[in-house]
Amino acid sequence: MEISGARILVAGATGVLGGLAACALAERGARLALAGRNHVRLAALARDLGGPPARCFEACDLDQCSTLGPWAERALSGLEGVLVTVGAAGYGAVEDVSNAMAGHLLTVNALCPMAVLRGAAPVVADKGFLLAITGGVPGPAGPESADDLAGSADYTASKAALSGWLGVLTEELAPRSVAVLDIRSPRLDTGFTERSLTGRPPALPPGADALKAVYSLMDSITST
Ligand SMILES: NC(=O)c1ccc[n+]([C@@H]2O[C@H](COP(=O)([O-])OP(=O)(O)OC[C@H]3O[C@@H](n4cnc5c(N)ncnc54)[C@H](OP(=O)(O)O)[C@@H]3O)[C@@H](O)[C@H]2O)c1
């Protein structure tokens, strides 16, 4: 897809990856709609990017999440793509993580992106794209080593749920040539793990360069 001129929703734009992605898309000429939780950072980003439509949302309000795609489609008079960069980290041995926290991680990391993309799927243009960031999904070709995964069962489960859902969505949207991008990111230097909602992240070497990851994400979009 040609990014220049494409109308794209970034949900999670107030986060590090979301903000970098929004700036990279704007530099390449995309027309953006921004959604994020933090209204101060959202307003600042929108100002920096020349005042695109912007809306606050809470990941735990799934019905609100599903309205973002239709809102962006109306605000931009069309929608070619959606990026969901919402996520929350949480650590701890399985017996140390409360059920409430496990439910929260599942909601923010899986049900929220699903709800955003569920709402966006009917309104995104044919040949458009829907993108979410997983990572932390174990498997033969997965990016995470066993060391990276220790103490992250609930986070890993939430991303695995999202990844499985995206796989089925890929098949469902294939007749319309809508690309579903499951970005299996390795650990990045965004400070994400330090913002863990519970427990402490394992001591690991610094993550990879987030800006490079965003450039590679731009390549993934361009090659759809
Ligand atoms: N960084 C990594 O190492 C890494 C690796 C693999 C995958 N990922 C995934 O990449 C995505 C972006 O991560 P990041 O590194 O950019 O971290 P980040 O800066 O912490 O971004 C997370 C985003 O999620 C939003 N969020 C969290 N809880 C929310 C809630 N209840 N309601 C609405 N928004 C909520 C945050 O909103 P606020 O701005 O209001 O805080 C923030 O915009 C996440 O899905 C993460 O799982 C990251």
Side-chain angles (χ1 to χ4, degrees):
M1 152 166 307
E2 175 70 45
I3 291 178
S4 181
R7 293 161 291 188
I8 298 175
L9 164 67
V10 181
T14 55
V16 177
L17 282 182
L20 289 172
C23 292
L25 288 166
E27 274 165 22
R28 287 160 178 73
R31 291 177 51 203
L32 298 179
L34 306 175
R37 174 174 59 173
N38 184 307
H39 65 94
V40 175
R41 284 206 298 275
L42 186 64
L45 181 66
R47 225 176 9 252
D48 288 350
L49 295 181
R55 174 177 271 205
C56 282
F57 77 104
E58 163 54 54
C60 298
D61 184 341
L62 299 178
D63 289 339
Q64 188 189 34
C65 293
S66 290
T67 65
L68 293 177
W71 161 74
E73 195 267 343
R74 282 193 306 278
L76 299 171
S77 304
L79 189 67
E80 277 79 36
V82 178
L83 280 78
V84 188
T85 57
V86 176
Y91 291 95
V94 290
E95 66 268 29
D96 295 332
V97 176
S98 70
N99 287 321
M101 180 53 69
H104 185 74
L105 292 173
L106 204 55
T107 301
V108 174
N109 291 323
L111 296 179
C112 159
M114 292 176 197
V116 174
L117 299 183
R118 195 188 308 283
V123 297
V124 75
D126 291 356
K127 301 185 183 161
F129 73 90
L130 302 176
L131 177 155
I133 304 182
T134 60
V137 179
E144 307 284 342
S145 75
D147 281 350
D148 285 339
L149 292 172
S152 69
D154 289 281
Y155 174 78
T156 300
S158 65
K159 290 296 190 179
L162 176 59
S163 193
W165 189 89
L166 292 171
V168 176
L169 187 63
T170 303
E171 300 303 320
E172 291 189 8
L173 296 185
R176 291 175 46 210
S177 301
V178 173
V180 177
L181 301 175
D182 175 355
I183 304 296
R184 296 188 166 207
S185 171
R187 229 160 23 80
L188 302 171
D189 62 0
T190 65
F192 177 69
T193 55
E194 284 78 46
R195 290 187 283 285
S196 174
L197 299 178
T198 186
R200 288 228 204 102
L204 293 166
D209 185 337
L211 198 53
K212 274 194 193 153
V214 166
Y215 291 153
S216 135
L217 199 146
M218 295 299 120
D219 291 342
S220 303
I221 293 172
T222 306
S223 56
T224 60

